[in-house]
Amino acid sequence: MKTIGLLGGMSWESTLSYYQGLNQEIKASLGGLNSAKVCLYSINFDEIEKHQRLGQWDEAAKILSKAAQNIEAGGADFLLICTNTMHKVAPQIETAINIPLLHIADATAQQLAQDGMEKVGLLGTKFTMEQDFYKRRITDKFGIEIITPNQDERQAIHDIIYQELCLGVISNSSRTRYLEIINKLHQQGAQAVILGCTEIGLLVNKSDTNVPLYDTTELHMQAAIDIALSNSEEIMLCNDSD
């Protein structure tokens, strides 16, 4: 079994989902007392959030690159960044380490493409919904069209993530708001909706709506499990940093 490197803490609420989910899936696959081999580095999200808010992405990249180097030194065979937004600095992190990076957008888009999805909605932080680092990767590499909510809806989604979900607050009214936005995207032609923030799955799940939902946390974990249990010694990942 290969060792999975987790760069977490953004927020720790969703990193908990990664750690629990990986171990549950390994146990389900192998049985007995088997659990996942994990090297986890959890950073202080307050530091990262301040850099996000001020647009200081290079400073955030330095923090995460150092953490990724520590994960590599701890014996990880490959790396997962346990957040969608901070894949904005994935290219900088990749250049700082010698182990492969399993990109969360690739893990998600591969499943979308396999399921024949051509146009999908995207929920996430404002950074993920409004900037190109995430949307363009999915469109350019997989040919899938991405649509996002309007400006007011994007702000509401963003605020709920940072003011509630990252703090462990689960609100029925916020769930209702998210579901309204999901249904609106579906009416606008989205065949499915990406839950493009690792905290959103704490609030909304597939049983809440008839619109197909693609939880990036779940898909990222499953791709990691497949690699960890692969018999191949070579880890083949999509590491294009464009």
Side-chain angles (χ1 to χ4, degrees), residues 8-225:
M10 301 167 282
S11 66
W12 71 262
E13 298 283 348
S14 61
T15 302
L16 178 63
S17 298
Y18 271 91
Y19 185 73
Q20 183 178 50
L22 288 170
N23 280 291
Q24 289 174 338
E25 288 300 317
I26 289 292
K27 181 179 180 180
S29 297
L30 302 180
L33 296 176
N34 283 287
S35 57
K37 294 176 65 177
V38 173
C39 183
L40 167 63
Y41 190 110
S42 186
I43 57 89
N44 179 5
F45 187 39
D46 184 74
E47 297 177 5
I48 298 298
E49 188 278 331
K50 287 175 180 174
H51 289 312
Q52 290 177 338
R53 185 160 25 92
L54 296 172
Q56 297 172 341
W57 297 101
D58 287 343
E59 294 303 312
K62 291 176 184 177
I63 295 172
L64 298 187
S65 294
K66 178 61 176 176
Q69 290 171 342
N70 288 330
I71 292 169
E72 179 179 6
D77 292 301
F78 62 101
L79 177 69
L80 277 67
I81 308 171
C82 303
T83 165
N84 287 268
T85 297
M86 294 315 297
H87 278 75
K88 178 176 174 66
V89 299
Q92 294 96 308
I93 295 171
E94 283 182 308
T95 61
I97 58 177
N98 297 304
I99 56 174
L101 170 69
L102 176 58
H103 201 292
I104 196 169
D106 291 351
T108 301
Q110 285 167 356
Q111 187 63 55
L112 286 165
Q114 182 177 320
D115 293 344
M117 300 296 174
E118 298 177 349
K119 181 177 181 179
V120 300
L122 172 65
L123 305 186
T125 66
K126 288 178 65 177
F127 311 114
T128 302
M129 292 186 289
E130 295 179 357
Q131 298 180 23
D132 283 339
F133 70 92
Y134 194 92
K135 297 181 293 182
R136 187 177 67 181
R137 187 179 183 101
I138 291 177
T139 298
D140 289 352
K141 292 188 68 174
F142 298 90
I144 298 171
E145 180 183 354
I146 302 291
I147 63 173
T148 57
N150 65 37
Q151 184 175 357
D152 289 342
E153 292 166 340
R154 293 196 302 270
Q155 188 65 57
I157 292 166
H158 182 91
D159 289 344
I160 289 168
I161 290 169
Y162 281 88
Q163 297 173 15
E164 297 180 17
L165 301 181
C166 287
L167 298 173
V169 176
I170 306 299
S171 164
N172 287 330
S173 61
S174 294
R175 180 181 296 108
T176 298
R177 180 68 169 131
Y178 268 52
L179 292 173
E180 290 172 351
I181 295 170
I182 288 169
N183 288 330
K184 186 175 178 181
L185 288 170
H186 185 54
Q187 292 168 4
Q188 294 171 352
Q191 298 167 285
V193 172
I194 299 171
L195 304 184
C197 173
T198 52
E199 280 81 23
I200 296 179
L202 303 173
L203 180 67
V204 177
N205 59 59
K206 296 175 183 178
S207 64
D208 293 324
T209 176
N210 291 325
V211 180
L213 301 179
Y214 285 71
D215 186 333
T216 54
T217 304
E218 292 181 2
L219 294 168
H220 207 195
M221 286 192 295
Q222 188 55 60
I225 293 290

